[in-house]
Amino acid sequence: LQELQSSGRGRFLLEHAAPFSAFLTDSFGRQHNYLRISLTEKCNLRCQYCMPEEGVQLTPKSELLTTQEIITLARLFVKEGVEKIRLTGGEPLIRPDVVDIVGQLYKLEGLKTIAVTTNGINLARLLPRLKEAGLNAINISLDTLVPAKFEFIVRRKGFHKVMEGIHKATELGYRPVKVNCVVMRGFNEDELLGFVDFTKDLPLDVRFIEYMPFDGNKWNFKKMVSYKEMLDTIKQRWPELEKLPCEASSTAKSYKVPHFQGQISFITSMSEHFCGSCNRLRITADGNLKVCLFGNSEVSLRDHLRSGASEEALVQIIGAAVGRKKKQHAGMFNISQMKNRPMILIGGYKMYSHVTFFFSPEPALMSFPLCQDALQNPPNSKQWGHTFSHWLTLRASCCVFQKDPSSMFDTKCLEASPVGQASVNCQSKDASPGSCTEVPHASDHLTHTDEEGRATMVDVGGKPDSRRSAVAGAVVRLGEKAFGMVRQNQVKKGDVLAVAQIAGIQGAKLTSQLIPLCHNIPLNHVEVSLSLDEARYAVVIRSSCQTWGRTGVEMEALTAASLAALTVYDMCKAVTHDIVIEEVKLLSKTGGQRGDFSR
């Protein structure tokens, strides 16, 4: 308000404000003065949680809104009382005429705010022209502050471009620059403190958004990190965190660490919805009006516009749609079962909500544990692998496992002792700790099955703790062309060796979720190395795992080598499918009752 009063344009708008349109007021008295317009369905990233690497089926260009149609509809909504328009996508900044669209919107009398939500890749290059055209608010989507994690998830390089865009926005005087971060358990909730610290020296508003359900994403409560949980985590680090006042229609609950330049906010779409003060409407890139982000009800304004409908008729159509808007969340009792178009085709808060559309729907995989070492130690740039355990879990073959509701870990996984281990009873009341020293002998049955042949748990509770390690290997034969591209780091998906190394480390941590009868054990150390064998045009993988516990880590080492090999295949398959994964094998192990092994 102060900014509007300080400018000539602002004073004019305030003095000549018209009564709010009844057509944009719903049956619950909510006045909709905020319109989000999707400029395109296209995006210049290929986020694994949003779309396959080859993209999604796009609406034919002839069915998308033209620039003139966008301006015509915007003018109509502004005339009826809309004061803020946000341009979304897809990625709005890849539309060639986005600067021109902003310029034309700026000329609309009554429009107070023109905003954009972007992934930030093109922001630094376009922002000076966008600001000159009239753009006065920016939201940048960023889910991680770790460059390697960013590249793995979006399948493109560009983290430095996003950061450059953020800094360019602050240099050009945008206050605040809003950074949207959807928080999801097992993915990035470990970066909460890092994002808060990001506001220390920059005028940012980092907005933590609760994970929301959309059609296809198999939303599950356990994936959502609630506002109160996030707030508690942050207050443990900054107990002096103070709450800021907010407007009645605001979707955000804002806080600030004293003496920090920026602030943080929480978008509590799920735990404390703000439907009662909702003032938003959306127009999709193909011209459909959505009165609720969570609903599948849409009205094609494009069709009416192209059929020659008058302005009065369009206003009546819009008013009827607004009048049907439900009290909350599209009137659905269980929004996790809702039907809706994919998030990238809506232009909502972020594309992140489409997270598992192309992955396994198996309910047992909808929750996932953080590694114990990660819970005990703050993450850093070298330890970030556990935060995207979800992605590698879903990329692998799904398995069903039992969940233990009393444990902070979701799995009740089983691992039998190696075949050939002696049968030892350490549960006897006469047995003392560490007294299980039976000499191993050959077994004549599978220890993972009972007498009737059913899978069963082998109790390792009586085994003594000991230091255990294992080394495994694998070879991926790529062929001359793909090998050369890997060596020169010319594969379009990114650095093959770096991503495969990360995948292997994470694979070791997820072994109990991938192999049904493996224990969920804490790993003291995981190391994965990849080297190039020019004679065979091959990538040679070597993995090692260590723990202190009652069961070995052979499976963890083998899983690490296998996942690294599969990742090399995945990143190179666009070059050739003539790739052979071979020599996946255990190289050595130490510890345990059966003694050491070396191939």
Side-chain angles (χ1 to χ4, degrees), residues 175-189:
R175 298 291 187 275
V177 176
K178 294 182 179 180
V179 177
N180 289 351
C181 176
V182 176
V183 181
M184 186 173 176
R185 196 177 309 281
F187 170 69
N188 61 349
E189 88 279 17

Side-chain angles (χ1 to χ4, degrees), residues 258-546:
H259 311 302
F260 277 25
Q261 283 196 42
Q263 65 184 53
I264 61 172
S265 300
F266 301 92
I267 310 296
T268 60
S269 312
M270 301 304 300
S271 63
E272 297 180 18
H273 69 77
F274 35 80
C275 299
S277 60
C278 180
N279 64 341
R280 291 155 178 75
L281 300 172
R282 289 171 170 80
I283 297 178
T284 61
D286 55 355
N288 283 2
L289 174 66
K290 289 182 69 73
V291 297
C292 179
L293 176 64
F294 289 93
N296 62 353
S297 177
E298 301 180 356
V299 176
S300 178
L301 300 181
R302 177 203 64 203
D303 291 350
H304 290 291
L305 198 61
R306 293 181 182 181
S307 66
S310 65
E311 182 175 308
E312 292 76 12
L314 285 171
V315 170
Q316 292 288 343
I317 293 166
I318 293 168
V322 173
R324 292 191 296 269
K325 185 170 181 175
K326 304 300 182 181
K327 185 176 181 179
Q328 67 184 53
H329 286 166
M332 302 186 69
F333 178 75
N334 186 356
I335 60 175
S336 65
Q337 303 301 319
M338 57 180 274
K339 290 294 181 182
N340 203 347
R341 63 166 73 193
M343 190 59 155
I344 191 171
L345 305 183
I346 296 176
Y349 277 121
K350 294 197 58 188
M351 295 180 290
Y352 185 82
S353 298
H354 197 48
V355 67
T356 62
F357 186 68
F358 296 99
F359 296 134
S360 166
E362 182 60 55
L365 293 177
M366 290 302 103
S367 55
F368 34 88
L370 295 177
C371 296
Q372 189 171 5
D373 60 329
L375 290 170
Q376 294 171 345
N377 301 288
N380 56 50
S381 59
K382 295 182 180 179
Q383 299 177 300
W384 64 269
H386 70 278
T387 61
F388 69 106
S389 61
H390 182 53
W391 318 121
L392 288 177
T393 302
L394 294 181
R395 287 168 65 90
S397 305
C398 66
C399 67
V400 180
F401 49 81
Q402 198 172 13
K403 288 187 280 189
D404 180 3
S406 67
S407 170
M408 66 188 302
F409 298 108
D410 292 329
T411 56
K412 194 73 172 179
C413 297
L414 318 174
E415 177 181 347
S417 307
V419 173
Q421 178 175 302
S423 176
V424 182
N425 180 11
C426 291
Q427 301 300 318
S428 168
K429 63 182 180 180
D430 297 324
S432 59
S435 64
C436 306
T437 57
E438 182 80 26
V439 177
H441 58 77
S443 172
D444 58 358
H445 67 280
L446 297 175
T447 55
H448 291 75
T449 59
D450 61 16
E451 294 178 354
E452 297 180 5
R454 295 174 299 190
T456 187
M457 180 178 184
V458 175
D459 186 0
V460 298
K463 289 186 177 183
D465 287 335
S466 64
R467 186 175 303 280
R468 298 163 184 265
S469 67
V471 179
V475 175
V476 185
R477 292 181 179 266
L478 296 173
E480 185 174 1
K481 181 180 179 181
F483 180 85
M485 294 179 69
V486 171
R487 183 173 56 185
Q488 299 297 323
N489 196 17
Q490 294 178 341
V491 177
K492 289 184 178 180
K493 289 186 178 181
D495 189 332
V496 173
L497 301 183
V499 175
Q501 180 187 37
I502 294 166
I505 293 172
Q506 192 57 28
K509 294 182 176 184
L510 292 173
T511 299
S512 65
Q513 296 186 31
L514 302 175
I515 312 299
L517 300 182
C518 286
H519 283 85
N520 186 5
I521 59 177
L523 294 174
N524 298 334
H525 181 70
V526 180
E527 183 174 342
V528 178
S529 63
L530 296 94
S531 59
L532 299 178
D533 183 346
E534 190 165 4
R536 293 188 288 176
Y537 298 125
V539 176
V540 179
I541 301 166
R542 183 183 177 92
S543 62
S544 64
C545 297
Q546 296 178 12

Side-chain angles (χ1 to χ4, degrees), residues 121-137:
I121 298 294
N122 293 338
L123 186 60
R125 176 173 57 87
L126 292 175
L127 192 53
R129 293 168 54 205
L130 287 168
K131 182 177 183 182
E132 185 178 354
L135 185 73
N136 48 24

Side-chain angles (χ1 to χ4, degrees), residues 521-596:
I521 59 177
L523 294 174
N524 298 334
H525 181 70
V526 180
E527 183 174 342
V528 178
S529 63
L530 296 94
S531 59
L532 299 178
D533 183 346
E534 190 165 4
R536 293 188 288 176
Y537 298 125
V539 176
V540 179
I541 301 166
R542 183 183 177 92
S543 62
S544 64
C545 297
Q546 296 178 12
T547 190
W548 177 269
R550 299 176 179 179
T551 188
V553 288
E554 298 97 311
M555 293 306 302
E556 283 72 15
L558 285 164
T559 302
S562 300
L563 262 292
L566 288 170
T567 302
V568 171
Y569 181 95
D570 176 59
M571 297 188 72
C572 296
K573 70 179 187 291
V575 181
T576 177
H577 284 96
D578 189 13
I579 301 173
V580 177
I581 298 176
E582 60 186 12
E583 297 185 40
V584 179
K585 58 189 176 184
L586 180 69
L587 300 177
S588 64
K589 68 169 284 289
T590 63
Q593 295 180 3
R594 295 197 63 197
D596 298 347

Side-chain angles (χ1 to χ4, degrees), residues 64-131:
L64 299 176
L65 291 177
T66 65
T67 301
Q68 190 53 51
E69 288 170 337
I70 290 172
I71 301 303
T72 297
L73 290 174
R75 182 181 295 110
L76 180 61
F77 275 90
V78 171
K79 185 177 179 180
E80 293 300 316
V82 164
E83 298 174 327
K84 177 178 181 179
I85 290 180
R86 177 174 297 280
L87 304 177
T88 67
E91 171 49 43
L93 298 191
I94 67 173
R95 181 156 175 151
D97 59 350
V98 62
V99 176
D100 179 56
I101 290 175
V102 171
Q104 293 192 55
L105 291 176
Y106 185 74
K107 297 175 184 177
L108 299 180
E109 292 187 4
L111 186 60
K112 299 176 182 178
T113 303
I114 305 171
V116 68
T117 295
T118 172
N119 61 30
I121 298 294
N122 293 338
L123 186 60
R125 176 173 57 87
L126 292 175
L127 192 53
R129 293 168 54 205
L130 287 168
K131 182 177 183 182

